[in-house]
Amino acid sequence: MLELFKLLGNKRLFVLLVGLVTFIALMGFTLGPRTALSWPEKFLKDSVGFVQYVFYKPASYVAGFFKDVANMRAVYSENEELRIALGHYTRDRLKYNDMEQVNKQLQEALNFTDEQKNRYNYGSRIAQVISANSDPNSRTINIDIGENAGIQPGMAVTSQQGLVGVVSHVSSYTSTVNLLTSMDANDPNSNAIAATAVGKEKVFGMIESYDPKTGMLKMTKIAEDSNIKEGDEIISSGIINNFPKYMRIGEVKSVEKSEFGLTSTATIEPYASFLDWKELIVIIPPEVKE
């Protein structure tokens, strides 16, 4: 017993012993089945939560600040691009207005007829896609406007991305559109599209087939001396009746010489995706009465 009192006389050892007993008691208490926290646990949890809040808020503000700075850089870069685009648009618009005025003066001087003046003043009508035919041998879609809206066979149909197809059949309130994906050079009922390249007067050819395996159009009968190359933007040339000029078709991916070397064939990637259409645009020639 004397030895025990001597042992307890050591204050450090006594404090350690009391702490060990308290720790064991608390561990046994907290590990037991309970439905609520004790007030020390609540106090500790709230204290830890407060400390986390104190450190988290400044950290989140700092992280948010750097994120906002990064976003501001991106927005600034986009604004710069938009300013440049707006500058180009303003310049091109002024140039266009001047060319349009000169063109009108020349038309008057050369006694152009009204038909000649309005040759490229095409109108447009929005159409909703109501059904689609997934048959690979008859790739068509149906739209919700027809003769009642002045639609006629042979009119071009486009999406926001590019040319989609041509109206093939018309009823009073609906129309059928043959897609570019149904074009076949061996099909006598398949209409070819006269095309050219933007900014290149010597480039002329006929788009008359589509390869379903590659998803590419074929532009044939291109003159050997034409300067068509990869990356050129292909548009309709407008030399076919009722088919407008400047319709965006696709981009040149490759150019090959024909079998006899007299002409070239270009592979064109269509701008239109031919998937999940909701709205399309039918191009109305100026001869059609509204």
Side-chain angles (χ1 to χ4, degrees), residues 88-98 100:
H88 289 170
Y89 171 79
T90 303
R91 181 195 62 192
D92 293 342
R93 183 63 184 175
L94 293 173
K95 183 179 179 180
Y96 170 79
N97 290 339
D98 182 63
E100 186 178 29

PDB file of all heavy atoms in Angstrom, residues 88-98 100:
ATOM      1  N   HIS A  88     -14.867  43.005 -89.220  1.00  0.00           N
ATOM      2  CA  HIS A  88     -14.925  42.422 -90.566  1.00  0.00           C
ATOM      3  C   HIS A  88     -16.330  42.540 -91.149  1.00  0.00           C
ATOM      4  O   HIS A  88     -16.491  42.832 -92.337  1.00  0.00           O
ATOM      5  CB  HIS A  88     -14.503  40.947 -90.513  1.00  0.00           C
ATOM      6  CG  HIS A  88     -13.043  40.774 -90.244  1.00  0.00           C
ATOM      7  ND1 HIS A  88     -12.485  39.542 -89.957  1.00  0.00           N
ATOM      8  CD2 HIS A  88     -12.015  41.663 -90.218  1.00  0.00           C
ATOM      9  CE1 HIS A  88     -11.185  39.683 -89.776  1.00  0.00           C
ATOM     10  NE2 HIS A  88     -10.876  40.964 -89.921  1.00  0.00           N
ATOM     11  N   TYR A  89     -17.339  42.299 -90.289  1.00  0.00           N
ATOM     12  CA  TYR A  89     -18.717  42.384 -90.769  1.00  0.00           C
ATOM     13  C   TYR A  89     -19.043  43.803 -91.217  1.00  0.00           C
ATOM     14  O   TYR A  89     -19.657  44.004 -92.271  1.00  0.00           O
ATOM     15  CB  TYR A  89     -19.677  41.948 -89.669  1.00  0.00           C
ATOM     16  CG  TYR A  89     -21.131  42.206 -89.994  1.00  0.00           C
ATOM     17  CD1 TYR A  89     -21.835  41.360 -90.846  1.00  0.00           C
ATOM     18  CD2 TYR A  89     -21.797  43.316 -89.472  1.00  0.00           C
ATOM     19  CE1 TYR A  89     -23.152  41.600 -91.168  1.00  0.00           C
ATOM     20  CE2 TYR A  89     -23.117  43.566 -89.786  1.00  0.00           C
ATOM     21  CZ  TYR A  89     -23.793  42.707 -90.627  1.00  0.00           C
ATOM     22  OH  TYR A  89     -25.103  42.959 -90.944  1.00  0.00           O
ATOM     23  N   THR A  90     -18.652  44.781 -90.403  1.00  0.00           N
ATOM     24  CA  THR A  90     -18.918  46.171 -90.757  1.00  0.00           C
ATOM     25  C   THR A  90     -18.244  46.538 -92.067  1.00  0.00           C
ATOM     26  O   THR A  90     -18.841  47.168 -92.947  1.00  0.00           O
ATOM     27  CB  THR A  90     -18.428  47.102 -89.638  1.00  0.00           C
ATOM     28  OG1 THR A  90     -19.065  46.738 -88.410  1.00  0.00           O
ATOM     29  CG2 THR A  90     -18.740  48.552 -89.964  1.00  0.00           C
ATOM     30  N   ARG A  91     -16.981  46.117 -92.210  1.00  0.00           N
ATOM     31  CA  ARG A  91     -16.254  46.394 -93.445  1.00  0.00           C
ATOM     32  C   ARG A  91     -16.917  45.703 -94.642  1.00  0.00           C
ATOM     33  O   ARG A  91     -17.135  46.323 -95.691  1.00  0.00           O
ATOM     34  CB  ARG A  91     -14.809  45.922 -93.299  1.00  0.00           C
ATOM     35  CG  ARG A  91     -13.936  46.173 -94.538  1.00  0.00           C
ATOM     36  CD  ARG A  91     -12.662  45.364 -94.446  1.00  0.00           C
ATOM     37  NE  ARG A  91     -12.965  43.938 -94.408  1.00  0.00           N
ATOM     38  CZ  ARG A  91     -12.089  42.987 -94.102  1.00  0.00           C
ATOM     39  NH1 ARG A  91     -10.850  43.327 -93.782  1.00  0.00           N
ATOM     40  NH2 ARG A  91     -12.436  41.721 -94.108  1.00  0.00           N
ATOM     41  N   ASP A  92     -17.266  44.411 -94.464  1.00  0.00           N
ATOM     42  CA  ASP A  92     -17.880  43.669 -95.560  1.00  0.00           C
ATOM     43  C   ASP A  92     -19.259  44.221 -95.896  1.00  0.00           C
ATOM     44  O   ASP A  92     -19.675  44.203 -97.061  1.00  0.00           O
ATOM     45  CB  ASP A  92     -17.977  42.181 -95.198  1.00  0.00           C
ATOM     46  CG  ASP A  92     -16.614  41.525 -95.100  1.00  0.00           C
ATOM     47  OD1 ASP A  92     -15.650  42.095 -95.633  1.00  0.00           O
ATOM     48  OD2 ASP A  92     -16.520  40.443 -94.484  1.00  0.00           O
ATOM     49  N   ARG A  93     -19.980  44.688 -94.853  1.00  0.00           N
ATOM     50  CA  ARG A  93     -21.302  45.243 -95.095  1.00  0.00           C
ATOM     51  C   ARG A  93     -21.210  46.512 -95.929  1.00  0.00           C
ATOM     52  O   ARG A  93     -21.990  46.729 -96.865  1.00  0.00           O
ATOM     53  CB  ARG A  93     -21.993  45.532 -93.760  1.00  0.00           C
ATOM     54  CG  ARG A  93     -23.428  46.044 -93.884  1.00  0.00           C
ATOM     55  CD  ARG A  93     -24.313  45.008 -94.537  1.00  0.00           C
ATOM     56  NE  ARG A  93     -25.657  45.508 -94.741  1.00  0.00           N
ATOM     57  CZ  ARG A  93     -26.606  44.830 -95.391  1.00  0.00           C
ATOM     58  NH1 ARG A  93     -26.334  43.631 -95.903  1.00  0.00           N
ATOM     59  NH2 ARG A  93     -27.801  45.348 -95.552  1.00  0.00           N
ATOM     60  N   LEU A  94     -20.261  47.377 -95.592  1.00  0.00           N
ATOM     61  CA  LEU A  94     -20.053  48.592 -96.382  1.00  0.00           C
ATOM     62  C   LEU A  94     -19.663  48.255 -97.819  1.00  0.00           C
ATOM     63  O   LEU A  94     -20.140  48.873 -98.778  1.00  0.00           O
ATOM     64  CB  LEU A  94     -18.976  49.454 -95.723  1.00  0.00           C
ATOM     65  CG  LEU A  94     -19.330  50.074 -94.363  1.00  0.00           C
ATOM     66  CD1 LEU A  94     -18.120  50.751 -93.758  1.00  0.00           C
ATOM     67  CD2 LEU A  94     -20.491  51.044 -94.504  1.00  0.00           C
ATOM     68  N   LYS A  95     -18.783  47.250 -97.944  1.00  0.00           N
ATOM     69  CA  LYS A  95     -18.356  46.826 -99.274  1.00  0.00           C
ATOM     70  C   LYS A  95     -19.530  46.254-100.052  1.00  0.00           C
ATOM     71  O   LYS A  95     -19.695  46.543-101.250  1.00  0.00           O
ATOM     72  CB  LYS A  95     -17.241  45.783 -99.141  1.00  0.00           C
ATOM     73  CG  LYS A  95     -16.665  45.317-100.466  1.00  0.00           C
ATOM     74  CD  LYS A  95     -15.546  44.305-100.223  1.00  0.00           C
ATOM     75  CE  LYS A  95     -14.970  43.814-101.548  1.00  0.00           C
ATOM     76  NZ  LYS A  95     -13.883  42.818-101.304  1.00  0.00           N
ATOM     77  N   TYR A  96     -20.363  45.486 -99.369  1.00  0.00           N
ATOM     78  CA  TYR A  96     -21.529  44.892-100.029  1.00  0.00           C
ATOM     79  C   TYR A  96     -22.508  45.975-100.467  1.00  0.00           C
ATOM     80  O   TYR A  96     -23.045  45.930-101.582  1.00  0.00           O
ATOM     81  CB  TYR A  96     -22.207  43.912 -99.072  1.00  0.00           C
ATOM     82  CG  TYR A  96     -23.552  43.418 -99.564  1.00  0.00           C
ATOM     83  CD1 TYR A  96     -23.632  42.413-100.525  1.00  0.00           C
ATOM     84  CD2 TYR A  96     -24.731  43.972 -99.080  1.00  0.00           C
ATOM     85  CE1 TYR A  96     -24.854  41.973-100.994  1.00  0.00           C
ATOM     86  CE2 TYR A  96     -25.958  43.533 -99.542  1.00  0.00           C
ATOM     87  CZ  TYR A  96     -26.027  42.532-100.492  1.00  0.00           C
ATOM     88  OH  TYR A  96     -27.241  42.108-100.944  1.00  0.00           O
ATOM     89  N   ASN A  97     -22.771  46.945 -99.590  1.00  0.00           N
ATOM     90  CA  ASN A  97     -23.700  48.016 -99.940  1.00  0.00           C
ATOM     91  C   ASN A  97     -23.208  48.792-101.154  1.00  0.00           C
ATOM     92  O   ASN A  97     -23.996  49.173-102.037  1.00  0.00           O
ATOM     93  CB  ASN A  97     -23.878  48.960 -98.750  1.00  0.00           C
ATOM     94  CG  ASN A  97     -24.651  48.318 -97.615  1.00  0.00           C
ATOM     95  OD1 ASN A  97     -25.377  47.342 -97.812  1.00  0.00           O
ATOM     96  ND2 ASN A  97     -24.499  48.860 -96.413  1.00  0.00           N
ATOM     97  N   ASP A  98     -21.896  49.037-101.189  1.00  0.00           N
ATOM     98  CA  ASP A  98     -21.333  49.756-102.324  1.00  0.00           C
ATOM     99  C   ASP A  98     -21.463  48.933-103.607  1.00  0.00           C
ATOM    100  O   ASP A  98     -21.847  49.455-104.656  1.00  0.00           O
ATOM    101  CB  ASP A  98     -19.862  50.079-102.048  1.00  0.00           C
ATOM    102  CG  ASP A  98     -19.230  50.885-103.181  1.00  0.00           C
ATOM    103  OD1 ASP A  98     -19.679  52.019-103.417  1.00  0.00           O
ATOM    104  OD2 ASP A  98     -18.304  50.364-103.835  1.00  0.00           O
ATOM    105  N   GLU A 100     -23.640  46.603-104.180  1.00  0.00           N
ATOM    106  CA  GLU A 100     -25.057  46.507-104.523  1.00  0.00           C
ATOM    107  C   GLU A 100     -25.524  47.762-105.262  1.00  0.00           C
ATOM    108  O   GLU A 100     -26.280  47.671-106.241  1.00  0.00           O
ATOM    109  CB  GLU A 100     -25.881  46.307-103.252  1.00  0.00           C
ATOM    110  CG  GLU A 100     -27.357  46.058-103.509  1.00  0.00           C
ATOM    111  CD  GLU A 100     -28.143  45.827-102.235  1.00  0.00           C
ATOM    112  OE1 GLU A 100     -27.731  46.384-101.191  1.00  0.00           O
ATOM    113  OE2 GLU A 100     -29.158  45.106-102.276  1.00  0.00           O
TER     114      GLU A 100
END
